[in-house]
Amino acid sequence: MGGIMGCMPFGQEGQRSSTRPDGAPWADVVVKIGGSACTKKAQFETLNTEALSASSAQLAKLSSEGLRMAIVHGAGSFGHQHAKEYGVSKGTGEASFSTGPLPERLREGFAKTRLSVTTLNKHVISALVKEGLPAVAMSPCPFVGTCKKKLIDGILPASAAEGAMGLLKCGMVPVVHGDAVLDASQGCAILSGDVWMVELCRELGAKSAVFVTDVDGVFTKPPTEPGAQLVKEILVDAKTGEMELTGVSMNCASHDVTGGLKAKLESAADVLRGAPSVQAVYIVRAGSDAAAQAMRGVAPTYGTTLRRRQ
């Protein structure tokens, strides 16, 4: 036990710290490869190979420059359809959940959802490792659970945070994904990768957070529509989370059970509210020059930057 504990990133009195003993953050940046940047969301269980490869190459170069990172990836077309079809996000609903087995159909849906998201995780890890990045998967289930769809006590379990720190301490890159998880209130639920963004940024003391997507950022309307304009900066009220989003469309695909653009922006705002170390959150296109800038903590020339309102 002594040898193991000596490797764990505890501070004084067993408390974990968002910084290393030398005062540096555990991770300089936390990057989310969104579902649209690693899959083709309109095609069931289909990879977006070009975007995933481009992001993997950029992240590997970032690592070669000495920047430390943690990575989160969405589920895209590999998880949402099963989750919606079987009602995994709703669990047992209003029915009281006991310690007994979940209904058969819910068990089937949970298993299929997990198989789907872990299959995608293998593809993402493979793409990252191919580029020379020492990426190591951290699957939430069954080690991270929820209650009424929220993290128990509102934070990651100590084992999850310390696990990410331990990997970073050893020079590895932790890679987490959205997942089907056990829920104390309704049996099971979906834990979005966006929640991991908030938690890892706070726990690891990251200076910036980057959401990589298949578009250049947030637009005043869907970017395929005529007249759509890129919103380059969004100011967030650190106390209320309110954002200046006048004119931005909040459409979302029906199969995305974790929410559309509104949920993504709220998660980005939550990073600024919940992770004091984060100076800015960036939303950029996979493989773009803007993504390369954002990953280095530089405001992208063509992307969306979220900052705290002064």
Side-chain angles (χ1 to χ4, degrees), residues 194-244:
D194 292 332
V195 173
W196 278 99
M197 284 296 290
V198 178
E199 295 302 309
L200 288 180
C201 282
R202 176 171 58 242
E203 295 284 0
L204 303 178
K207 297 177 182 177
S208 57
V210 181
F211 288 78
V212 178
T213 74
D214 64 340
V215 294
D216 291 302
V218 176
F219 287 79
T220 53
K221 61 177 71 174
T224 54
E225 294 185 7
Q229 295 182 341
L230 178 69
V231 179
K232 287 199 170 184
E233 186 172 65
I234 297 173
L235 298 179
V236 179
D237 188 310
K239 293 183 178 180
T240 66
E242 292 182 356
M243 296 172 280
E244 295 181 5

Side-chain angles (χ1 to χ4, degrees), residues 33 42 86 178 273 280 287:
I33 304 174
Y86 290 89
R273 296 181 67 196

Side-chain angles (χ1 to χ4, degrees), residues 86-112:
Y86 290 89
V88 177
S89 178
K90 298 177 182 178
T92 56
E94 297 179 358
S96 298
F97 173 67
S98 65
T99 56
L102 292 172
E104 182 177 357
R105 180 171 172 78
L106 199 51
R107 297 200 305 268
E108 179 184 354
F110 189 94
K112 286 183 175 179

Side-chain angles (χ1 to χ4, degrees), residues 35-51:
S36 62
C38 57
T39 78
K40 295 182 179 180
K41 296 186 77 171
Q43 301 176 38
F44 180 64
E45 294 193 348
T46 302
L47 286 177
N48 186 338
T49 306
E50 182 178 354

Side-chain angles (χ1 to χ4, degrees), residues 11-278:
Q12 295 181 345
E13 299 180 356
Q15 295 298 312
R16 61 182 184 262
S17 171
S18 62
T19 58
R20 298 167 184 259
D22 63 1
W26 287 104
D28 299 296
V29 60
V30 180
V31 178
K32 184 186 179 190
I33 304 174
S36 62
C38 57
T39 78
K40 295 182 179 180
K41 296 186 77 171
Q43 301 176 38
F44 180 64
E45 294 193 348
T46 302
L47 286 177
N48 186 338
T49 306
E50 182 178 354
L52 177 57
S53 296
S55 291
S56 298
Q58 287 186 322
L59 289 165
K61 190 171 189 308
L62 194 69
S63 178
S64 71
E65 296 171 8
L67 274 75
R68 294 173 290 235
M69 74 193 79
I71 299 171
V72 180
H73 71 80
S77 62
F78 277 78
H80 294 297
Q81 286 87 340
H82 285 308
K84 181 179 181 182
E85 178 183 353
Y86 290 89
V88 177
S89 178
K90 298 177 182 178
T92 56
E94 297 179 358
S96 298
F97 173 67
S98 65
T99 56
L102 292 172
E104 182 177 357
R105 180 171 172 78
L106 199 51
R107 297 200 305 268
E108 179 184 354
F110 189 94
K112 286 183 175 179
T113 301
R114 287 227 71 237
L115 174 60
S116 187
V117 296
T118 53
T119 297
L120 174 59
N121 179 249
K122 178 182 177 181
H123 288 303
V124 173
I125 294 291
S126 296
L128 293 168
V129 171
K130 181 180 179 181
E131 294 293 339
L133 199 68
V136 179
M138 287 181 57
S139 284
C141 182
F143 308 105
V144 180
T146 55
C147 182
K148 296 181 180 179
K149 301 184 181 183
K150 303 291 185 182
L151 286 172
I152 297 172
D153 295 327
I155 59 172
L156 285 179
S159 58
E162 290 157 5
M165 293 173 187
L167 288 172
L168 286 161
K169 182 179 182 180
C170 294
M172 307 292 184
V173 178
V175 181
V176 190
H177 57 87
D179 206 356
V181 296
L182 301 178
D183 187 284
S185 175
Q186 59 181 42
C188 62
I190 297 295
L191 181 62
S192 169
D194 292 332
V195 173
W196 278 99
M197 284 296 290
V198 178
E199 295 302 309
L200 288 180
C201 282
R202 176 171 58 242
E203 295 284 0
L204 303 178
K207 297 177 182 177
S208 57
V210 181
F211 288 78
V212 178
T213 74
D214 64 340
V215 294
D216 291 302
V218 176
F219 287 79
T220 53
K221 61 177 71 174
T224 54
E225 294 185 7
Q229 295 182 341
L230 178 69
V231 179
K232 287 199 170 184
E233 186 172 65
I234 297 173
L235 298 179
V236 179
D237 188 310
K239 293 183 178 180
T240 66
E242 292 182 356
M243 296 172 280
E244 295 181 5
L245 288 170
T246 304
V248 176
S249 173
M250 294 297 180
N251 292 336
C252 70
S254 61
H255 62 261
D256 188 343
V257 296
T258 56
L261 174 60
K262 184 173 186 292
K264 307 305 181 191
L265 284 175
E266 287 174 348
S267 294
D270 283 345
V271 171
L272 291 173
R273 296 181 67 196
S277 61
V278 172

